Amino acid sequence: MPGTVDVIDCTLRDGEQTPGVWFTVEEKVTLARLLSDAGILVLDAGFPASSGADIEAMQAMRHSGLRASIGATARPLRHDIAAAAKAQADEVFLFMPTSDLRLRETLGITRDRAAGIMRSGVDEALGEGMGVNIVFEDATRADPEHMVRLVDEVCLPGMVSRLILADSVGCAHPTSMRALVRTLAERLDPGIDICTHAHNDYGLATANTLAAIEAGARAMTCTVNGIGERAGNADLAECLASLTHLHGVEHGVDPTALPELSRYVERISGIHMSATKPVTGFNVYRHESGIHVDSMLKNVRSYEVLPPSWVGTERAYVLGKHSGTSLIRHLLAHKVDGVSAGRDLDDDTVHLLLDRVKSIVDTLDKSGHESAFRAKEAFTSAALSGVAAEVVFAEYQRLPAKGQA
């Protein structure tokens, strides 16, 4: 495995492509600043050819003095690359489908034609003074022999910085991802880094990203909270935690920035995270089960391998239906408002207090659960539905007929 991995965040581009999600220019600039301050190396900051707002936002990012490199996604077409240059991008992510399904069935072009377009795009981007990253879209459904040929013809040393293998439909698994990375690494100039862009349709985006790094990839793309098309992308916090604690790989990102990033993206995206979301979820460092709490009070490593201090938070113990006597004793042994419990507790008293706690839980009103669920359902439906189709028909009716002033 590499000793260090470059982190490319795609929340500003692929994250915003989540159906129904959109960010204002101000939100994009704020998020870019938070990501840059956290230590993210490169921002996939937008698709300038598709949005004037992305151009405006990226220009504002440039003027705000971010430390992170500002990247733009573009097709290898003159118009797209010119838009990236107008947005003042440092580098571009030139993407071209590599699978026959995408090339022949949806674009109607041959493999040879696709390779020629990509070569022209590389020359165009270099002419604009931008760094070049080649993105093999739908790489996990492509013929490996075709991709090997593309590596030989397009990924030229001194011209291309990274080769990004996109699992565009999330169909890879760790074994196949390792094999793909190793196959292409054998033909790729060592000066060009392999990177992955994993989607999460089978819940394997983080696993596939780590598998690629195990096979020698030296860069990865992620999004905050894993948002993105369909089931989303590899989650930034999950990948960073795994690199740090399971693999000992450096990445240059401050983990204490992850909770703030997660909350900010929740707020501006309208997509709210589960309490059990790994690394940054509300419940990740909280314990209720009696057996767990008893063990944790003796040694926190009993049921906690990811320390809460890594993300700048603290563990907590929850009194609830599944609590045990150890937590009762622990709570009363500590001073409350500067005053100790004042006496030793016999077993009968401890069990009585525990029974009262459980009785209170059993009688709690759960109407709040129902109202919160309904509010969440209503908000999600409204916030992520986009513009109603009827608007298009209404606007069409307002358009003047052809030939009329």
Side-chain angles (χ1 to χ4, degrees), residues 114-327:
I117 293 172
M118 184 61 81
R119 285 194 300 269
S120 297
V122 171
D123 293 338
E124 193 79 27
L126 291 172
E128 293 285 358
M130 295 181 289
V132 176
N133 304 279
I134 298 295
V135 183
F136 285 1
E137 187 187 15
D138 208 14
T140 52
R141 293 193 295 178
D143 181 352
E145 292 184 4
H146 172 53
M147 289 191 289
V148 166
R149 176 193 167 193
L150 285 176
V151 166
D152 293 340
E153 296 183 3
V154 177
C155 297
L156 304 177
M159 300 174 68
V160 174
S161 300
R162 302 181 187 90
L163 169 61
I164 299 174
L165 305 176
D167 183 19
S168 302
V169 296
C171 66
H173 54 78
T175 301
S176 65
M177 182 61 78
R178 289 188 195 94
L180 177 60
V181 169
R182 288 170 179 153
T183 296
L184 297 184
E186 290 177 356
R187 299 296 290 265
L188 194 66
D189 184 274
I192 300 174
D193 292 341
I194 290 182
C195 176
T196 55
H197 181 75
H199 278 265
N200 204 36
D201 296 71
Y202 286 95
L204 293 172
T206 296
N208 286 330
T209 298
L210 296 171
I213 293 169
E214 290 168 2
R218 297 195 294 265
M220 66 180 187
T221 69
C222 302
T223 63
V224 177
N225 293 341
I227 65 172
E229 298 276 5
R230 304 181 312 280
N233 294 277
D235 178 83
L236 175 67
E238 293 176 19
C239 289
L240 294 179
S242 297
L243 285 180
T244 299
H245 297 283
L246 301 182
H247 296 290
V249 173
E250 297 292 332
H251 46 71
V253 179
D254 177 9
T256 64
L258 295 175
E260 181 184 6
L261 278 167
S262 177
R263 289 192 296 271
Y264 184 70
V265 170
E266 279 193 79
R267 188 161 72 248
I268 66 175
S269 68
I271 298 178
H272 303 119
M273 295 295 102
S274 164
T276 56
K277 181 195 174 299
V279 187
T280 57
F282 179 72
N283 265 352
V284 175
Y285 310 104
R286 302 170 79 238
H287 309 269
E288 177 182 330
S289 168
I291 294 175
H292 285 218
V293 171
D294 179 68
S295 298
M296 288 289 294
L297 291 173
K298 295 170 181 172
N299 189 323
V300 295
R301 295 174 61 195
S302 298
Y303 286 102
E304 194 176 80
V305 69
L306 181 61
S309 59
W310 189 70
V311 293
T313 189
E314 297 180 354
R315 74 181 53 85
Y317 299 111
V318 178
L319 272 174
K321 180 179 180 179
H322 305 100
S323 293
T325 57
S326 292
L327 183 54

